[in-house]
Amino acid sequence: MKYLKPLIILLMIAVSLVACNGSKDPATILTSTTWGIDVEATISKIKTLTPEKLKELFSNDEEEKEVMAKMAKVRFIFKKEGIVKSTDGNRSNTGTWEISEDGKTLTFVSKKGVDPSIFTIQSMSANKIVMIEEDARKSRYKPFVYSVLKAVD
């Protein structure tokens, strides 16, 4: 009996930690941390899809390294009220985000009057999101139609 109270308290703490950190709700996962681009994983995914586009984008290894260094600085902060802030270390942008009820589609709007970027989420966890832009032909960031985000907080 003397161990019952501490055991119950310990169990309550464990349950609350699992509930907070183990959330499968996509909106909760998005707003739980600051996200950055997992550059190596993103480039690796892109190379499997569009190796010829990557060659068009990077004329040499130095140019590829420069773009990768810029990507590594990008951060996204998703707010619960549907606001997303992004920064690359020099500039920042504020837009909106929305996730579908099934958690499989993420829509970004960076500015009013600009077509939204719509991504299909392939997988999502508390520290990694893999997504692909639905209509890559419209992408302003060709060939970066694939994005792998990682928790950086």
Side-chain angles (χ1 to χ4, degrees), residues 116-132:
S117 296
I118 302 171
F119 290 86
T120 299
I121 297 172
Q122 294 188 323
S123 65
M124 179 184 271
S125 70
N127 42 356
K128 184 176 181 182
I129 302 170
V130 179
M131 56 191 184
I132 188 166

Side-chain angles (χ1 to χ4, degrees), residues 65-88:
K65 287 178 186 173
E66 186 179 316
V67 170
M68 289 174 71
K70 287 179 182 177
M71 288 171 61
K73 293 178 182 177
V74 174
R75 298 291 181 264
F76 300 96
I77 301 170
F78 294 88
K79 303 287 186 179
K80 290 180 182 173
E81 53 277 353
I83 303 294
V84 60
K85 294 186 180 208
S86 62
T87 182
D88 64 6

Side-chain angles (χ1 to χ4, degrees), residues 28-48:
T28 302
I29 291 171
L30 277 173
T31 58
S32 68
T33 190
T34 298
W35 296 92
I37 298 173
D38 185 333
V39 179
E40 289 181 18
T42 297
I43 296 292
S44 175
K45 283 277 191 186
I46 292 167
K47 284 181 178 178
T48 65

Side-chain angles (χ1 to χ4, degrees), residues 48-99:
T48 65
L49 271 182
T50 56
E52 67 284 346
K53 291 280 188 192
L54 219 56
K55 288 177 187 169
E56 289 174 23
L57 182 67
F58 304 127
S59 57
N60 58 50
D61 287 343
E62 286 303 311
E63 198 171 5
E64 183 175 349
K65 287 178 186 173
E66 186 179 316
V67 170
M68 289 174 71
K70 287 179 182 177
M71 288 171 61
K73 293 178 182 177
V74 174
R75 298 291 181 264
F76 300 96
I77 301 170
F78 294 88
K79 303 287 186 179
K80 290 180 182 173
E81 53 277 353
I83 303 294
V84 60
K85 294 186 180 208
S86 62
T87 182
D88 64 6
N90 295 320
R91 298 171 300 176
S92 63
N93 186 30
T94 300
T96 60
W97 68 273
E98 184 177 300
I99 197 152

